[in-house]
Amino acid sequence: EVSTNSADDLQGSSKRVKLCVEVAIKASSTAENQSICKRLTSFFSKNIFITLGTITSKEIESSDPKLGKHLEFVTIERPSPPPLPECLFLDPSILGLDREEREGVDASMTDESLETGQTEETETGNSFLFDDCECRFFCFRLNDEPGMEEEAEDAEDDSVPVCKQWQLPNREFSGVWETLHFETRIKQRLLDYAEAAMAFAEVGVDPKVI
């Protein structure tokens, strides 16, 4: 992960449009992530505007052939809104509701907050002046290895496939996450859970305690 800001960053960072830039680097590339991010920053700066969505390597090559040969694609998104605090469930109007009903309220509150917080984006569309943006780059290389099956022996000593494992990020799942849509914030909660689990594992927290 690499963060980039333009000059006067610290003073106006709260007013900047925060963007997540996912950079899929070709497996054959030997370039360092930092170098690619700097080159991409220059690429966006030359174009003046930065637009939400996916940019293919061919589109990049047309403006910067040296950069394009290292990339598969670049995806630019607005970061997900932070989760609503649990204290919102103390609102008297939703006391006594079961979990599914409360999650429905959670989702509706999130939708309202998104609608009220998107006035600036609605006025400017999906394009922003690059100088008004704060970009966080996330670089990765897609793995082409197919899933490996794990087998177990049954009572008759026959091998039975029990699961399949992939090394992530895997090309087989590229773009699938964006096609999943749920009524509640399941995807964000899943990401929060995975992030917390990784943080606990890094500091050696006993999984039996958490």
Side-chain angles (χ1 to χ4, degrees):
E1 176 189 340
V2 180
S3 298
T4 67
N5 304 330
S6 42
D8 319 356
D9 327 2
L10 297 178
Q11 290 185 344
S13 59
S14 60
K15 298 180 181 179
R16 295 186 182 282
V17 179
K18 291 179 171 55
L19 299 177
C20 293
V21 183
E22 298 178 2
V23 186
I25 303 173
K26 292 181 179 179
S28 58
S29 172
T30 58
E32 294 182 354
N33 293 354
Q34 188 81 23
S35 300
I36 288 178
C37 291
K38 287 182 179 179
R39 190 92 180 194
L40 262 176
T41 301
S42 176
F43 171 82
F44 292 138
S45 180
K46 289 177 182 177
N47 290 334
I48 302 177
F49 283 94
I50 185 169
T51 303
L52 302 183
T54 298
I55 310 173
T56 64
S57 59
K58 289 184 178 179
E59 292 175 298
I60 295 173
E61 282 182 7
S62 63
S63 299
D64 190 337
K66 289 184 178 180
L67 175 62
K69 72 178 183 179
H70 291 282
L71 303 179
E72 296 203 28
F73 60 85
V74 175
T75 301
I76 305 161
E77 299 177 336
R78 297 291 297 271
S80 301
L84 293 174
E86 291 296 329
C87 62
L88 286 176
F89 292 138
L90 297 179
D91 188 321
S93 64
I94 58 176
L95 288 177
L97 301 181
D98 60 28
R99 184 177 182 83
E100 289 187 3
E101 291 172 321
R102 284 187 294 153
E103 288 183 346
V105 175
D106 184 352
S108 65
M109 285 181 175
T110 305
D111 292 340
E112 289 173 6
S113 63
L114 285 173
E115 288 173 4
T116 56
Q118 287 181 342
T119 52
E120 183 180 354
E121 183 178 350
T122 303
E123 291 173 2
T124 58
N126 289 330
S127 295
F128 307 91
L129 280 171
F130 181 69
D131 288 342
D132 292 340
C133 297
E134 179 181 337
C135 297
R136 296 181 68 186
F137 291 83
F138 299 88
C139 299
F140 61 94
R141 288 170 170 80
L142 292 174
N143 193 293
D144 291 312
E145 293 291 329
M148 302 291 293
E149 284 191 351
E150 283 200 8
E151 298 180 342
E153 294 184 355
D154 59 14
E156 300 178 356
D157 293 334
D158 293 328
S159 295
V160 179
V162 292
C163 69
K164 207 169 184 179
Q165 295 182 342
W166 288 264
Q167 187 172 345
L168 301 178
N170 198 288
R171 189 178 303 280
E172 191 169 339
F173 301 111
S174 180
V176 174
W177 178 263
E178 290 77 13
T179 65
L180 301 177
H181 299 278
F182 303 96
E183 292 182 0
T184 56
R185 294 169 51 82
I186 293 176
K187 290 172 69 174
Q188 185 59 45
R189 287 173 176 168
L190 179 60
L191 291 174
D192 292 342
Y193 175 83
E195 186 177 357
M198 292 176 65
F200 290 147
E202 286 179 359
V203 296
V205 175
D206 187 347
K208 296 178 182 178
V209 177
I210 301 299

